[in-house]
Amino acid sequence: MKYITTIGEQQFEIEILDDNRVAVNGQVLKVDFESISRQPVYSLLVDGKSYEAYIYETDEGWEVLLQGTRYPVQVVDEREHRLRAAFGGGVVQSGDFHLKAPMPGLVVSVPVKEGQEVEAGDVLVILESMKMQNELKSPRAGTVSRVRVKSGDNVERGQTMLSVV
Amino acid sequence: MFNKVLIANRGEIAVRILRACRELGLETVAVFSEADRQALHVRYADEAYLLGPAPSRDSYLRGDKIIEIAKKSGAGAIHPGYGFLAERSDFAQAVLDAGLAFIGPKPSAIAAMGDKAVARATVAAAGVPVVPGTEGEGALSDEELLRLAPEIGFPLLIKATAGGGGKGMRVVQNLEEMPALLTAARREAEAAFGDGNVYLEKLVEGARHIEIQILADELGNVIHLGERECSIQRRHQKLLEEAPSPFVGDDEELRQRMGEVAVRAAKAVDYVNAGTIEFLVDAEKNFYFLEMNTRLQVEHPVTEAVTGVDIVKEQIRIARGRPLSLRQEDVRMDGWAIECRINAEDPYNNFMPSTGEIAHSLLPTGPGVRVDTGVYPGFVVSPYYDSLISKLIVHGSTRAEAILRMRRALEEYRIVGVRTNIPFHQNLMDSHRFMAGQFDTQFVEQRFSMEAADRGRKTLPEIAALMATLVAHQQTERSAHVIQRNERDTSNWKWVGRWERIHR
């Protein structure tokens, strides 16, 4: 199986050959790859060198924490890559932004109203968790809609609080 | 004299105090909220009693219940730790009224230092320099504050009268933006302390936050254990502390002068037990009294590391009416210590708090490493309390050795289940300005970014790409080639196929 893996501007062609051989940009490497105790910690031995990393799946792809550096990584298999290229690249982003609670907490205030126009960076909700007040901001300009919380509400992690359309 | 101590706290500090009691042969009583039934302090203590539901006001802030439990369990003393009830003079008084010892200062000293206006007036009268501001002028209205602001000069700080820990605090650059910031500060102060009063204070630019640890016994002996540097902060929350301060360095004269002023400030309020005088120090080595923390500090271990004094044991000794175990001339600072606060916060996502179950944890050990923590694998980090999950402290013979040791320890540390700020500390350890000791209290917010730090170092994108691809490959289960042995795909056909390949 062949994958096209991207980190920022850099692209790697990675082919899984068998149990312990992979080809990175055509160069064959001997690898020994294991998950440690439980995901997401992984150990990689490659040509005698030992690496350990945290690897998380995110909404945008993968996130690798390796030796104190974070790498946002996109992995697509060859077929998907060809398909995307054929359709002019990239998935079309949905227009609506749904503000989800990044952690459980208490809604301190909602400084915006339904139907209000907001700019990128405007504060949408102030959420208190772990004794800190966190300002959750709009990633883009738009109109506030479907406000589902009010001050004093307790929210769960991942709960949608409002949308910007 | 007491032989049993109730610890009115949770988390790493409750465990820290329990350890001191154990070593002194004292029995221990833990208290806990419904969220902390499985917490380490409950597991380590001789006795443990439920306080109530998870929110602090229903549990760790229930002073009445805590005193009742102390009496019922036969504890003769209460140690408040830090936060919660530690700096509440009414609680300290209630403990004494119940006939118990309070392991901390007298209620009158807590009250004097807790009201910042009184604190400033008291230490100023004792000849200790203070920062210009409106503290001590009572609760002022927005109009009055706006009128006084230009006299103090910009930039300035809005601070909560009842505050601490950076809540209700705002930096004001000019008069135009001040009204909105006043509103925000009052709202935050009201939410955090139930008191929306604020005051103004001149922002000392390029200031370093350096504090002096003091110890005072009931016989009138007051000593200081040298300084701690706490300038690495974000939103006025300390993230890293070290002792000694790289700014004070070899200037023994400055160290002793600050120490003497701190002792004078403590004596001004008739202080007993452990306390900390916080100073702002400008580039010209002028220092100003900021506040006194009338309790054990989070960062006390760095002082313990360099002086060899067990501050918690000393606190208990003082509360038992005994003299300090050392005199000022016995205090020596040996080598260098650094503490990193490991918080459940994602440094790549604006330090957003992270909650969840600690699935896996591997603590750094080895020479010169100490970890104070209240969590373990299987413990759930809840949103009810602060995000501090552990303190990593290293000790080396020099600052350079301490930094290298901290780097090594941070590399070893593995916590899975919640995001932590360990990558932040790793980047900080690689920062040239940090290594050179060139930083002030604004450093993290104004001169440091995770992205820039990530860009500046030697990277391994190829290895990262390879590892992510292998995980993606595993996850999609398009093949069972690279997978942990005991997680192998059970498909017999695949096994047969592989068996045949091997034996071909």
Side-chain angles (χ1 to χ4, degrees):
Chain A
M1 180 63 78
K2 212 183 234 177
Y3 296 90
I4 310 297
T5 301
T6 318
I7 298 178
E9 307 280 280
Q10 286 177 281
Q11 205 172 69
F12 302 90
E13 205 179 280
I14 297 175
E15 190 172 7
I16 315 282
L17 301 169
D18 62 28
D19 260 11
N20 46 30
R21 285 188 317 135
V22 296
V24 179
N25 293 337
Q27 188 198 352
V28 177
L29 300 172
K30 197 166 169 294
V31 297
D32 179 345
F33 187 67
E34 302 217 342
S35 76
I36 302 292
S37 348
R38 271 216 246 180
Q39 292 174 3
V41 179
Y42 293 87
S43 166
L44 173 71
L45 301 180
V46 49
D47 289 337
K49 288 207 172 64
S50 170
Y51 302 97
E52 203 166 296
Y54 290 78
I55 302 172
Y56 300 98
E57 192 166 12
T58 66
D59 290 346
E60 291 89 38
W62 299 88
E63 184 184 316
V64 178
L65 270 174
L66 172 66
Q67 295 182 5
T69 302
R70 182 184 68 148
Y71 304 86
V73 187
Q74 309 282 337
V75 183
V76 290
D77 66 43
E78 206 180 20
R79 199 173 58 97
E80 202 179 332
H81 187 73
R82 273 201 304 272
L83 275 173
R84 284 195 192 181
F87 286 100
V91 210
V92 182
Q93 290 248 321
S94 144
D96 294 1
F97 165 70
H98 303 290
L99 179 66
K100 292 190 174 124
M103 65 229 160
L106 174 78
V107 177
V108 177
S109 83
V110 185
V112 294
K113 285 192 289 288
E114 193 114 3
Q116 185 177 329
E117 301 284 327
V118 290
E119 297 294 321
D122 283 0
V123 177
L124 300 174
V125 170
I126 299 173
L127 187 65
E128 186 173 293
S129 188
M130 297 176 129
K131 291 165 66 189
M132 296 287 282
Q133 293 199 357
N134 301 283
E135 296 184 333
L136 304 178
K137 295 172 179 168
S138 183
R140 60 175 186 80
T143 309
V144 176
S145 87
R146 293 187 300 268
V147 179
R148 298 175 180 83
V149 293
K150 58 183 186 312
S151 73
D153 285 359
N154 279 302
V155 292
E156 292 299 316
R157 179 196 208 129
Q159 185 177 335
T160 303
M161 299 186 287
L162 55 80
S163 305
V164 175
V165 297
Chain B
M1 205 190 287
F2 53 86
N3 292 309
K4 193 189 261 194
V5 177
L6 182 146
I7 295 118
N9 216 301
R10 67 178 301 281
E12 65 86 18
I13 198 62
V15 174
R16 167 71 188 92
I17 297 162
L18 275 161
R19 287 179 170 147
C21 292
R22 275 254 191 279
E23 291 177 18
L24 290 171
L26 299 171
E27 286 184 87
T28 52
V29 181
V31 289
F32 61 98
S33 74
E34 284 169 6
D36 279 339
R37 171 63 188 85
Q38 300 189 10
L40 213 51
H41 72 285
V42 176
R43 296 173 57 190
Y44 280 0
D46 295 314
E47 296 173 42
Y49 299 93
L50 177 69
L51 281 170
S56 305
R57 64 175 180 280
D58 299 323
S59 50
Y60 298 104
L61 289 175
R62 286 290 303 272
D64 54 337
K65 249 188 165 168
I66 290 169
I67 291 169
E68 193 189 304
I69 291 167
K71 282 161 73 175
K72 210 166 58 186
S73 64
I78 294 181
H79 195 308
Y82 56 67
F84 296 125
L85 298 165
E87 289 174 281
R88 290 262 299 268
S89 58
D90 53 345
F91 176 69
Q93 187 60 55
V95 172
L96 299 182
D97 291 346
L100 308 169
F102 182 75
I103 303 176
K106 285 180 241 174
S108 58
I110 301 176
M113 287 302 183
D115 186 319
K116 292 184 182 169
V118 175
R120 279 166 57 98
T122 311
V123 301
V128 176
V130 297
V131 185
T134 69
E135 241 191 332
E137 300 185 18
L140 301 178
S141 68
D142 283 8
E143 290 69 34
E144 289 168 306
L145 291 174
L146 287 166
R147 189 170 46 76
L148 287 167
E151 291 174 27
I152 298 163
F154 295 97
L156 54 78
L157 281 172
I158 305 173
K159 293 172 112 179
T161 308
K167 269 180 280 300
M169 199 182 285
R170 290 291 186 280
V171 178
V172 189
Q173 297 296 345
N174 54 57
L175 199 57
E176 288 70 49
E177 65 175 21
M178 201 169 137
L181 292 168
L182 272 173
T183 310
R186 283 188 194 278
R187 183 190 65 216
E188 208 169 289
E190 180 70 43
F193 314 112
D195 176 358
N197 279 318
V198 295
Y199 64 93
L200 306 180
E201 188 176 277
K202 181 164 179 57
L203 179 65
V204 180
E205 287 189 272
R208 301 179 76 115
H209 178 129
I210 299 174
E211 59 187 30
I212 303 282
Q213 174 73 54
I214 65 117
L215 289 175
D217 65 23
E218 288 175 0
L219 309 168
N221 301 306
V222 186
I223 65 167
H224 70 86
L225 300 181
E227 82 281 8
R228 289 188 289 259
E229 165 87 53
C230 311
S231 301
I232 300 294
Q233 314 181 341
R234 190 184 158 275
R235 287 167 72 177
H236 302 281
Q237 299 277 358
K238 296 168 188 166
L239 290 168
L240 175 144
E241 301 92 352
E242 52 186 311
S245 157
F247 181 78
V248 177
D250 295 333
D251 194 341
E252 196 57 38
E253 194 269 328
L254 176 63
R255 175 170 297 119
Q256 291 312 325
R257 202 147 47 87
M258 289 180 76
E260 280 158 26
V261 167
V263 167
R264 210 184 308 154
K267 282 184 171 164
V269 291
D270 207 5
Y271 200 83
V272 171
N273 215 287
T276 298
I277 317 282
E278 297 189 341
F279 292 107
L280 278 183
V281 186
D282 70 16
E284 281 75 47
K285 298 190 175 177
N286 299 308
F287 56 90
Y288 305 94
F289 172 83
L290 200 57
E291 62 179 354
M292 179 167 191
N293 294 306
T294 55
R295 54 167 160 85
L296 184 63
Q297 296 273 93
V298 176
E299 59 272 25
H300 75 274
V302 290
T303 299
E304 294 186 323
V306 292
T307 61
V309 177
D310 186 317
I311 294 172
V312 181
K313 279 195 205 166
E314 214 57 40
Q315 282 193 294
I316 294 169
R317 192 184 162 90
I318 293 164
R320 294 176 122 193
R322 314 246 314 266
L324 294 173
S325 65
L326 72 170
R327 291 163 301 174
Q328 188 64 59
E329 53 268 35
D330 303 328
V331 178
R332 294 269 177 286
M333 287 178 113
D334 167 35
W336 210 283
I338 301 177
E339 169 183 281
C340 288
R341 296 193 187 191
I342 310 300
N343 294 333
E345 291 172 358
D346 185 355
Y348 293 108
N349 186 14
N350 201 25
F351 292 86
M352 198 65 86
S354 171
T355 56
E357 184 184 325
I358 308 275
H360 173 76
S361 164
L362 186 59
L363 300 182
T365 55
V369 177
R370 163 177 170 182
V371 181
D372 278 19
T373 183
V375 307
Y376 56 89
F379 187 75
V380 176
V381 177
S382 75
Y384 299 106
Y385 314 110
D386 67 34
S387 61
L388 181 71
I389 53 180
S390 78
K391 304 187 305 205
L392 173 56
I393 305 111
V394 300
H395 187 206
S397 57
T398 60
R399 186 167 188 264
E401 188 183 48
I403 291 173
L404 293 171
R405 185 161 278 167
M406 181 59 85
R407 260 195 209 168
R408 184 270 289 174
L410 289 165
E411 271 167 30
E412 286 181 13
Y413 210 158
R414 298 271 179 278
I415 300 179
V416 176
V418 295
R419 295 303 186 100
T420 74
N421 61 355
I422 289 175
F424 163 82
H425 287 299
Q426 288 182 296
N427 279 337
L428 189 62
M429 288 301 129
D430 290 347
S431 148
H432 294 292
R433 291 187 76 95
F434 177 77
M435 281 191 255
Q438 292 169 353
F439 50 83
D440 60 24
T441 54
Q442 300 298 305
F443 174 70
V444 173
E445 278 162 284
Q446 292 183 354
R447 293 182 181 273
F448 185 83
S449 92
M450 292 297 287
E451 288 69 28
D454 273 3
R455 272 200 303 277
R457 67 166 69 198
K458 181 180 152 282
T459 57
L460 297 163
E462 192 176 285
I463 298 296
L466 177 55
M467 292 181 85
T469 308
L470 289 167
V471 176
H473 182 66
Q474 266 188 12
Q475 203 202 46
T476 50
E477 292 180 350
R478 274 182 274 234
S479 163
H481 281 327
V482 190
I483 202 156
Q484 198 177 348
R485 266 172 211 101
N486 54 14
E487 290 173 5
R488 247 189 235 291
D489 196 311
T490 49
S491 159
N492 288 334
W493 290 113
K494 282 184 182 158
W495 272 108
V496 171
R498 204 174 299 171
W499 186 258
E500 284 172 353
R501 272 207 307 278
I502 291 166
H503 293 273
R504 199 169 287 160

